[in-house]
Amino acid sequence: MEPYARCVASSSTAPRRVVQRYGVLLLAVVVAAAVWASATGDIGVRSPLPGAVVLVLAVFSGWATSTIRTRRWPVFLAAALGWLVLAAAAAGVVASYQAGLRLRSRRLATYLAGAAVVLAGGVVVGVQVGGVRRITTATTGNVLLLAACLVGLPLVLGLWVRARRDTLVALRDRAERLEREREAHADRVRAEERTRIAREMHDVVAHRVSLMVVHAGALEVTAADPATVEAAALIRTTGRQALTDLREVLGVLRQAEAAVVPERGLDALDELIGESRTAGLRVSRQDEGEPAALPATLGRTAYRVVREALTNVRKHAADAETVVRLRYLPDGLEVLVRNGPSESGSALPGAGQGLLGLRERVELLGGRLEATPVDGGFLVRALIPLEGAA
């Protein structure tokens, strides 16, 4: 359906563009031809004036019509001259339509007064010339009919088109205003919800983590066992880092406008691995290929992959050997985190919500993520192309 819709849209747009570009020029040609035909008696009263005069008036009427987008007075003048000199109505019809379309209140009343003066002048000229000209332009019935056809109907049509345009503009403005109000309301609702979530996280999570840090600090001071002191120090340090990260998240939630929490990249990978080693994991890092400058988005995604993989290792195979391998490719980066079997015998689960979120993040960059059990252990492998992260 999409190609068909584009075809229909293009087929309707092309004629509209042609009309917008050449419509006025075509109308000018029609008016000039109508003035000439009227003066020669083909569609009006034959004029006794020389052909050169008729040609000049016809050309002037066509030129005046061609300027209606920028100026109005030339077509009004051409309408008056055409009717008084040649009894030609073409320019008058265009002038009345333009008056209804563009003039308002006092100017429109001035135009109607001028049109009445021109029609009265046409009556005087018709009486003086006599013959067919008198019958056509000076009799009461014909004058009323001509006033309706030359002034009334085109004027009413112009007024209707203008009213329709004004209505469409008003409806468009109203729709845009309603859309802005709807977006503003949605923004307010989102801001209120973000504030509520931040308040809940601060009241519950931050309080609990603070208690954990305090108790860990007390245990670090009072414990006699060096291993216990080291573990308490690690818990206290990790808790403080968690509080710092939580404050950043709460700051983002409380902001009216969306903000981005600064994320770490590959330059912080050694620190991440060091923290995992401190927590008791046996982790080694291996780099393959020629290291190159990578886009920041790619580096952040690779860091997230390694962090999530190591978190899962700590949860489910804390005693397993783990390898973090970065392979620099000509067109991207391969990130591989693999752990061996766990001696504790705990079963390795399938991909959880964290891995699902990572898969979405990697696929947004045009890459792919694999997470699967391998030889009693678990493998997380991400291939991230440079093109998607650029």
Side-chain angles (χ1 to χ4, degrees):
M1 292 297 293
E2 232 177 90
Y4 175 76
R6 285 197 298 267
C7 180
V8 172
S10 62
S11 63
S12 61
T13 303
R16 189 182 300 113
R17 289 179 178 176
V18 172
V19 171
Q20 291 176 349
R21 186 171 183 177
Y22 301 106
V24 173
L25 179 60
L26 179 62
L27 179 62
V29 173
V30 170
V31 168
V35 171
W36 175 265
S38 176
T40 56
D42 293 335
I43 58 173
V45 180
R46 184 179 181 85
S47 175
L49 296 176
V53 176
V54 175
L55 180 61
V56 169
L57 287 176
V59 172
F60 175 72
S61 298
W63 170 81
T65 303
S66 68
T67 65
I68 56 176
R69 287 182 175 175
T70 56
R71 290 175 289 185
R72 292 186 294 270
W73 68 266
V75 74
F76 293 162
L77 179 60
L81 291 177
W83 182 250
L84 293 175
V85 177
L86 303 176
V93 172
V94 175
S96 297
Y97 175 78
Q98 289 297 315
L101 185 64
R102 298 187 178 187
L103 301 183
R104 297 180 184 272
S105 60
R106 184 177 300 177
R107 290 186 177 182
L108 183 60
T110 302
Y111 173 80
L112 291 175
V117 171
V118 171
L119 289 175
V123 172
V124 173
V125 173
V127 171
Q128 295 296 324
V129 174
V132 179
R133 176 73 180 267
R134 179 176 183 178
I135 297 174
T136 304
T137 62
T139 58
T140 303
N142 284 344
V143 169
L144 295 177
L145 181 62
L146 289 170
C149 294
L150 269 67
V151 180
L153 292 179
L155 186 69
V156 170
L157 180 60
L159 291 172
W160 177 80
V161 172
R162 185 179 71 185
R164 183 173 179 272
R165 289 181 179 177
D166 293 343
T167 301
L168 291 177
V169 170
L171 291 175
R172 188 181 299 110
D173 292 342
R174 181 183 179 186
E176 292 176 353
R177 184 176 65 255
L178 291 176
E179 181 66 18
R180 290 193 298 269
E181 292 176 355
R182 186 188 67 81
E183 292 179 355
H185 177 70
D187 291 340
R188 286 195 301 272
V189 171
R190 283 194 294 267
E192 293 173 359
E193 183 65 15
R194 288 157 67 99
T195 303
R196 187 188 66 81
I197 294 173
R199 188 182 306 115
E200 293 292 333
M201 291 180 64
H202 179 270
D203 293 343
V204 178
V205 181
H207 175 67
R208 298 296 183 185
V209 175
S210 298
L211 287 178
M212 180 185 69
V213 172
V214 171
H215 287 298
L219 181 61
E220 183 182 1
V221 173
T222 59
D225 183 17
T228 303
V229 173
E230 184 179 355
L234 177 60
I235 294 173
R236 180 174 55 83
T237 303
T238 305
R240 286 182 175 177
Q241 183 62 43
L243 285 175
T244 301
D245 295 340
L246 182 59
R247 280 194 295 269
E248 291 179 353
V249 174
L250 294 180
V252 172
L253 288 175
R254 289 194 178 101
Q255 289 179 5
E257 298 181 357
V260 179
V261 178
E263 296 188 39
R264 296 181 175 183
L266 288 179
D267 54 345
L269 190 58
D270 287 334
E271 182 181 350
L272 175 64
I273 294 175
E275 292 175 356
S276 299
R277 288 172 180 165
T278 305
L281 291 185
R282 293 178 291 170
V283 186
S284 61
R285 173 178 175 177
Q286 299 176 2
D287 290 0
E288 297 181 6
E290 186 68 25
L294 300 175
T297 305
L298 191 153
R300 289 194 296 266
T301 302
Y303 178 86
R304 290 288 297 272
V305 170
V306 175
R307 186 176 67 182
E308 180 64 26
L310 292 180
T311 300
N312 290 335
V313 172
R314 285 198 299 269
K315 289 179 180 178
H316 310 294
D319 59 340
E321 290 281 352
T322 305
V323 176
V324 176
R325 180 179 295 117
L326 300 182
R327 182 177 297 168
Y328 295 90
L329 305 174
D331 57 349
L333 177 69
E334 182 186 45
V335 181
L336 185 146
V337 180
R338 179 175 180 175
N339 63 273
S342 174
E343 296 179 0
S344 62
S346 58
L348 289 172
Q353 293 299 319
L355 290 177
L356 287 177
L358 281 182
R359 180 173 285 108
E360 293 176 356
R361 179 184 286 260
V362 171
E363 289 177 352
L364 282 175
L365 300 182
R368 65 179 185 271
L369 178 75
E370 300 174 5
T372 179
V374 175
D375 298 333
F378 204 80
L379 170 68
V380 176
R381 177 177 176 270
L383 185 60
I384 311 171
L386 286 173
E387 182 179 356

